[in-house]
Amino acid sequence: MNKLSKHVGSVVAVIIGLIGVLLVLYVWQLPPFTSAVQRTNNAYVRSKITFIAPQVQGHVVEVLVTDYQEVKAGDLLARIDDRIYVQKVAQAKANLAQQQAALATAAQQRASAEAQVTAAEASLNAARVNNEVAKREFDRLTTLQARGVTSQSDLDNARASFDQASANVNTAEAQVEIAHQDVLAAETSRGSAQAGIEAAEAARELAQIDLDNTRILAPEDGRLGEIGTRVGQYVSAGTQMMGLVPHRAWVIANFKETQLHGMKIGQQATIRVDAADGQTLTGHVESFSPATGNEFSVLRTDNATGNFTKITQRLSVRIGFDQDQPLADRLLPGLSVEVSIDTDQPVTAD
């Protein structure tokens, strides 16, 4: 009887041991209980949080929003004292008007220079005619003086008139060249004035941009975080005033490298939300990180030094929420979730 009891006890102990081993294998999803469904609780809701900062400096004169307020794209969030920037715009406009006046003056100078060219060319033509008349008179008197018909004094006077007419032609030609140079100078002044106008217009646009930037606007729809600015505070370019969280969110799930086999873009994922009392949502795998988290860390592991211990790495997988899920609108960046993906499921093309 004692032998039978011992035998039964041994069998029971073996059975209990086998059950324990099987239970451990099941819990750790080891063969023969390996499942195609890969799970991880190393997953969080993510979103593109925009930190709003001014592009100009000055005192905050108005804050029109409160903590955690819902806003639309283009809503006015805060205003910076704009008096200096208003005057800069006025100054830029005055400078532009001055440059436009300079351009008008340059245009008038060119027109005047072109008129001077016309007058100088007319004077040159008259001088050439007078020179031709003086030359003919000199030639005639030269012939007559050779025949003894005219006096030497008349010939000398004709020579002087001819020389004077020739000099007048040279002077008129020089005046024409000067007039042409005046036209070129006027054209250069016109180009300089045109460049001045373009520079003044750019300065006016920059001044207007600075003035517009005194109004801090919401870049997109979303909810604000804590408002970090107050009326009277002096802010400069880059000062963080508040954060804006857009409505679009997704999940970053960090799977072990041993779980990635068979995982593909487009596969459906089940997302269990801790903050929603375990309610689930559905989504799809959108993309995989190009490297493990260790490669993106500031201090990467150097396995070529010291003793080596293999550590299973994790790869980030981005999962987008399916549409028309009311619970998805309540998810906030940073919340913890649990993600399950059946790696055996086929991927259907869109």
Side-chain angles (χ1 to χ4, degrees):
M1 186 68 180
N2 291 335
K3 291 183 179 180
L4 179 60
S5 298
K6 291 180 180 180
H7 181 70
V8 172
S10 299
V11 172
V12 171
V14 171
I15 293 175
I16 293 175
L18 288 174
I19 293 175
V21 171
L22 292 175
L23 183 61
V24 170
L25 294 175
Y26 175 77
V27 170
W28 288 93
Q29 294 290 294
L30 297 174
F33 301 104
T34 303
S35 172
V37 178
Q38 302 297 338
R39 297 181 176 85
T40 183
N41 60 1
N42 188 346
Y44 306 90
V45 180
R46 291 286 185 261
S47 184
K48 292 182 178 179
I49 301 177
T50 301
F51 293 102
I52 298 174
Q55 292 182 313
V56 296
Q57 60 186 12
H59 286 91
V60 178
V61 296
E62 190 176 14
V63 179
L64 296 96
V65 291
T66 59
D67 297 343
Y68 315 136
Q69 180 177 330
E70 190 83 19
V71 295
K72 298 291 185 182
D75 285 353
L76 181 62
L77 307 179
R79 287 196 309 110
I80 296 174
D81 187 1
D82 64 357
R83 290 175 298 173
I84 294 176
Y85 301 100
V86 169
Q87 294 305 314
K88 286 184 176 181
V89 170
Q91 185 181 42
K93 289 181 178 179
N95 185 43
L96 176 59
Q98 183 179 10
Q99 295 299 326
Q100 290 172 337
L103 178 62
T105 300
Q108 291 177 350
Q109 290 175 346
R110 178 181 171 83
S112 177
E114 289 176 343
Q116 290 295 330
V117 169
T118 301
E121 289 176 344
S123 297
L124 176 60
N125 291 333
R128 285 172 176 170
V129 170
N130 291 333
N131 183 61
E132 183 65 25
V133 171
K135 183 177 184 302
R136 286 199 300 266
E137 179 65 13
F138 174 72
D139 291 341
R140 185 179 68 82
L141 290 178
T142 299
T143 302
L144 293 176
Q145 199 274 340
R147 293 162 55 187
V149 176
T150 186
S151 65
Q152 182 64 39
S153 62
D154 291 337
L155 180 61
D156 292 340
N157 290 335
R159 179 185 293 275
S161 297
F162 175 55
D163 291 341
Q164 181 64 43
S166 298
N168 290 340
V169 170
N170 293 333
T171 301
E173 289 176 343
Q175 291 297 325
V176 169
E177 181 61 26
I178 291 173
H180 279 297
Q181 293 300 320
D182 288 342
V183 171
L184 294 177
E187 182 62 26
T188 301
S189 297
R190 181 176 179 277
S192 177
Q194 184 63 47
I197 286 179
E198 294 176 359
E201 287 178 341
R204 182 194 61 183
E205 290 298 323
L206 289 173
Q208 185 63 50
I209 289 173
D210 285 342
L211 177 59
D212 294 340
N213 285 335
T214 60
R215 294 166 52 86
I216 311 302
L217 306 178
E220 58 181 321
D221 297 351
R223 288 180 62 191
L224 298 174
E226 291 186 4
I227 307 303
T229 187
R230 300 291 181 267
V231 173
Q233 177 184 356
Y234 186 85
V235 296
S236 58
T239 301
Q240 184 173 315
M241 303 179 72
M242 62 195 75
L244 175 66
V245 181
H247 294 302
R248 173 166 168 73
W250 57 90
V251 169
I252 295 297
N254 301 301
F255 284 95
K256 296 179 181 179
E257 56 186 317
T258 54
Q259 297 177 287
L260 298 175
H261 178 70
M263 198 174 295
K264 302 180 182 65
I265 293 176
Q267 287 178 333
Q268 189 177 52
T270 301
I271 304 162
R272 181 179 178 276
V273 185
D274 293 354
D277 195 24
Q279 296 185 56
T280 60
L281 297 93
T282 59
H284 284 81
V285 176
E286 290 185 343
S287 57
F288 295 88
S289 172
T292 64
N294 179 65
E295 295 299 306
F296 288 115
S297 63
V298 177
L299 299 175
R300 294 188 300 170
T301 303
D302 187 355
N303 293 325
T305 60
N307 295 326
F308 170 70
T309 301
K310 183 176 181 180
I311 300 175
T312 302
Q313 300 296 310
R314 289 182 180 268
L315 189 77
S316 298
V317 180
R318 174 168 168 150
I319 299 170
F321 292 105
D322 293 338
Q323 296 181 355
D324 301 326
Q325 297 184 96
L327 182 59
D329 295 333
R330 296 164 49 192
L331 295 181
L332 304 177
L335 292 180
S336 300
V337 296
E338 296 181 8
V339 176
S340 301
I341 299 175
D342 184 358
T343 57
D344 279 347
Q345 62 177 295
V347 178
T348 56
D350 295 336

